[in-house]
Amino acid sequence: MFENTEIISLILIALSFLLLMAIALVIFFFLSRKKIINAELEKANMEISFQKEMLQATILTQEKERKRIAQDLHDAISSKLNIVSLNTNVLLEGGVDVQQTNEMLGTILQISNSTLESSRRIAHDLLPPVLQKFGLKAAVEELTNDYNRAHDGLITLKNDYQPDSLEAKEELHLFRIIQELVNNSLKHGAATQINIELKSQPPGLNYSDNGIGFENTASAGKPGLGMKNIESRVALLGGQSRFESEAGNGIRFTLNNLRYGK
C-alpha cells in the first residue's frame, strides 16, 4: 500500500513537472514570438518611415523643379515675349518711320532668337534630347563635354556603359544622379577635378572629386535636398550606394547592383 502511494506521488510529481515545463515552453514561445513580432513591426515602421522620407524628398525635388522651371519661363520667355508683343503693336498701329521700323524688327528678331534658345535650354533641362534619342552613354558624354567647355578639364570620364543595359526611365534616374553629384561638387564642394566611371554588365557608377569634402561620413549622411534626391533615385533603381568623404579629400560615391537588362 505504501509503495503504491509512493508511486502515485512520483507520478503526480512527474506530471506536475511536465505541466510546469509545458507552461514554461508556452510562455517562452509567447515571449519569443512577441519579440519577433515587435522586431518585425519595428523593421516595417523603419521601412515605412524611409519610404515616407523618400517620397517627401521626391515631392520636394519636384516642387523645386517646378519653381525653377516657372522662374525660367517667366524670366527667359514671358518677359521677352512681352517686349515682342509691345513692339509688334507699335508697328501695327503705324506712325513710325522706316528706320524705327527696321530697328524694331531687328529687336523682335533678336529677342525671338534668344527666346528660342531659352526654350531649347529649358526643354533640355527637363529631358535632354540626346538622352531621349541616343541613350545614357551619349548623354553623359555630352554632359561632360559641356562642363569641360565651361571649366577646362573639370571632368575625367571613363564610359564603359553599353547601350540599352537599362530601361529608358532607369537611364534617366542614373543621369539625374550624375547631374546632382556634379552640381553638388561645384556648388558645395568647390571641386576642380571630378572623376566619373560609368560601368556596364551590370551597370554601375563610381564618382569622386577633389573638393573640400566633409568632416566625416556621418555628417555627410545628413543630406540636404540634393542628396535626398539621389537617395530616392537609388531606391527607384533598386541599387546599393555608398557615400564616403573626408575633410579636404573630396567625396567618393559608388552605385552598384542595379537591375540589369531589359
Side-chain angles (χ1 to χ4, degrees):
M1 183 70 179
F2 178 76
E3 291 181 358
N4 291 336
T5 303
E6 188 177 272
I7 292 172
I8 292 172
S9 298
L10 290 173
I11 292 173
L12 290 174
I13 292 171
L15 290 173
S16 299
F17 178 76
L18 291 174
L19 180 61
L20 290 174
M21 286 291 294
I23 294 173
L25 287 172
V26 169
I27 294 173
F28 176 78
F29 176 79
F30 175 78
L31 293 176
S32 299
R33 185 61 181 169
K34 186 177 180 180
K35 287 182 179 179
I36 293 172
I37 292 172
N38 288 338
E40 291 177 349
L41 287 173
E42 184 177 357
K43 182 180 178 181
N45 288 332
M46 290 178 63
E47 290 177 353
I48 292 172
S49 177
F50 176 77
Q51 290 173 358
K52 286 182 178 179
E53 287 183 5
M54 292 300 99
L55 180 59
Q56 184 179 17
T58 301
I59 293 172
L60 288 173
T61 301
Q62 290 174 345
E63 289 300 319
K64 181 182 177 182
E65 285 298 302
R66 289 191 183 103
K67 289 180 181 178
R68 182 185 63 78
I69 293 167
Q71 190 66 42
D72 285 347
L73 288 173
H74 178 270
D75 295 343
I77 295 180
S78 297
S79 58
K80 293 177 180 178
L81 290 178
N82 285 332
I83 297 174
V84 171
S85 177
L86 289 172
N87 282 300
T88 303
N89 286 330
V90 171
L91 291 174
L92 289 174
E93 290 172 358
V96 293
D97 58 31
V98 175
Q99 182 179 354
Q100 289 177 319
T101 299
N102 290 333
E103 289 177 355
M104 287 184 177
L105 288 174
T107 300
I108 290 173
L109 180 60
Q110 180 183 2
I111 293 175
S112 297
N113 290 333
S114 175
T115 303
L116 181 60
E117 182 61 31
S118 297
S119 65
R120 286 173 178 168
R121 177 180 57 80
I122 293 171
H124 185 278
D125 289 341
L126 288 173
L127 182 60
V130 172
L131 178 64
Q132 189 175 19
K133 293 180 180 179
F134 303 107
L136 180 64
K137 186 180 180 73
V140 174
E141 289 175 353
E142 182 189 52
L143 179 71
T144 300
N145 292 334
D146 288 344
Y147 274 108
N148 283 341
R149 277 193 291 268
H151 310 273
D152 187 33
L154 173 68
I155 300 177
T156 299
L157 174 65
K158 182 179 179 182
N159 195 347
D160 295 328
Y161 181 80
Q162 297 300 313
D164 297 328
S165 294
L166 294 170
E167 297 281 356
K169 62 181 180 180
E170 293 171 339
E171 288 191 344
L172 177 59
H173 288 316
L174 190 50
F175 181 77
R176 294 303 189 200
I177 288 172
I178 295 172
Q179 274 188 318
E180 193 66 56
L181 287 168
V182 174
N183 289 336
N184 285 345
S185 291
L186 295 177
K187 184 177 180 181
H188 303 295
T192 59
Q193 180 61 52
I194 295 171
N195 300 299
I196 300 174
E197 180 185 4
L198 196 58
K199 301 181 292 182
S200 188
Q201 296 182 356
L205 172 67
N206 290 330
Y207 180 96
S208 63
D209 70 27
N210 68 343
I212 60 176
F214 297 89
E215 286 295 334
N216 52 56
T217 305
S219 63
K222 298 177 180 178
L225 183 59
M227 287 305 299
K228 282 186 176 293
N229 183 29
I230 291 174
E231 288 178 358
S232 64
R233 292 188 184 277
V234 169
L236 290 171
L237 284 167
Q240 294 179 346
S241 64
R242 181 178 177 84
F243 184 89
E244 297 175 328
S245 182
E246 296 175 3
N249 289 324
I251 65 167
R252 292 166 297 282
F253 176 86
T254 58
L255 176 60
N256 296 299
N257 297 329
L258 303 183
R259 292 185 292 267
Y260 176 59
K262 289 192 172 185

